Amino acid sequence: GEDAPQQYGEGSGFIFDNEGHIVTNNHVVEGATRVTVNFANGFWAEAEVVATDPQADLAVIKVTPPEGMPWVPLALAEDNNLKVGYSVIAMGNPFGLENTMTTGIVSALGRSFPVGAFGENRYSLPDVIQTDAAINPGNSGGPLVNLAGELVGVNFAIESTAGSNSGVGFAIPASIVKRVVPELIADGQYNYAYLGLQGSTITADLADALELPDNELGVYVASVVPGGPAAEAGLQGGQETVTVNGAEVERGGDIV
């Protein structure tokens, strides 16, 4: 109704370039009528939403940098420089506690995570970073950095029944940020490659059901969209895939 109380949420973000662009999660700004950015030094600025990408759960907002404030874009780490066990630092606003830093390690790499939706199907975000650095509601959109202070990921989710940190947090890798964000700024959207198939990683149970040999790693293609790219490439439902363009495929995320 007209008298419905105003709802507000909070998240985190980081300075991306010298033009006033700030990166956060799509789910932080989705549906927002007003966005205010509070900076670490206590300054604030009203922001406009430039573009959003539900598939990668990224969004770009823009502010006029406050006068007299040092404006330093966050350096992005080189691709593929993370290994399991490396130390990482998560920054942000957990539960509205501004300027919070937590530390941990990279717990796993290469997780495939269902994020946005294409029609009825979920899009799987590949190469997601798992960390045990404490990530809580309000950390979303904040940077995950290495010990050199470079962005390695953008915090976006936690695996928890209680809705708070259980040592299993997820971050969108910097490699995806580098691809998606410049296109969001330039074109307002990121155009995704589309496979048009449904499949799953071959596991012991699946191999048993399909009567496949033990330890045959790959992906089982359950169905393909008629007339889609996978169908045109000759893939059919009920197929095992062990290579793509000569590259070994061991799990679903490898294809993506």
Side-chain angles (χ1 to χ4, degrees):
E2 285 177 24
D3 300 324
Q6 266 196 318
Q7 290 187 316
Y8 77 98
E10 54 206 1
S12 307
F14 62 92
I15 296 172
F16 182 74
D17 61 18
N18 286 314
E19 274 70 70
H21 292 113
I22 290 168
V23 172
T24 184
N25 282 146
N26 171 62
H27 79 256
V28 168
V29 298
E30 199 171 19
T33 50
R34 184 179 168 195
V35 179
T36 306
V37 175
N38 294 302
F39 294 99
N41 66 350
F43 288 12
W44 65 90
E46 294 299 310
E48 56 157 329
V49 177
V50 174
T52 61
D53 181 5
Q55 314 306 346
D57 198 6
L58 289 171
V60 178
I61 61 178
K62 189 176 185 181
V63 301
T64 302
E67 222 167 290
M69 182 186 140
W71 186 265
V72 186
L74 186 56
L76 274 57
E78 284 186 28
D79 293 354
N80 306 318
N81 74 340
L82 270 193
K83 289 189 169 68
V84 172
Y86 277 22
S87 293
V88 284
I89 298 165
M91 296 184 192
N93 245 352
F95 306 114
L97 297 164
E98 291 178 12
N99 309 330
T100 295
M101 172 189 275
T102 54
T103 67
I105 59 165
V106 175
S107 307
L109 289 167
R111 296 274 193 235
S112 194
F113 206 94
V115 188
F118 274 127
E120 294 173 6
N121 300 319
R122 298 276 274 175
Y123 173 73
S124 287
L125 191 64
D127 289 335
V128 164
I129 300 160
Q130 182 185 325
T131 178
D132 68 349
I135 293 173
N136 285 292
N139 270 117
S140 289
L144 186 72
V145 300
N146 59 22
L147 297 187
E150 302 163 326
L151 181 94
V152 294
V154 179
N155 307 320
F156 80 107
I158 51 172
E159 191 69 50
S160 167
T161 48
S164 59
N165 172 56
S166 56
V168 183
F170 299 99
I172 301 152
S175 57
I176 288 180
V177 175
K178 284 181 204 174
R179 283 210 299 271
V180 171
V181 170
E183 292 209 20
L184 291 183
I185 293 169
D187 303 331
Q189 65 179 43
Y190 182 80
N191 292 314
Y192 280 83
Y194 163 65
L195 284 168
L197 62 82
Q198 280 188 314
S200 52
T201 303
I202 293 172
T203 59
D205 290 343
L206 191 57
D208 197 41
L210 299 172
E211 298 180 352
L212 298 175
D214 281 357
N215 301 314
E216 180 152 319
L217 301 181
V219 174
Y220 177 69
V221 180
S223 64
V224 296
V225 177
E232 285 185 14
L235 280 175
Q236 299 171 342
Q239 262 186 344
E240 303 161 61
T241 304
V242 284
T243 62
V244 172
N245 284 352
E248 286 288 316
V249 170
E250 294 185 357
R251 57 195 170 81
D254 292 345
I255 291 183
V256 181

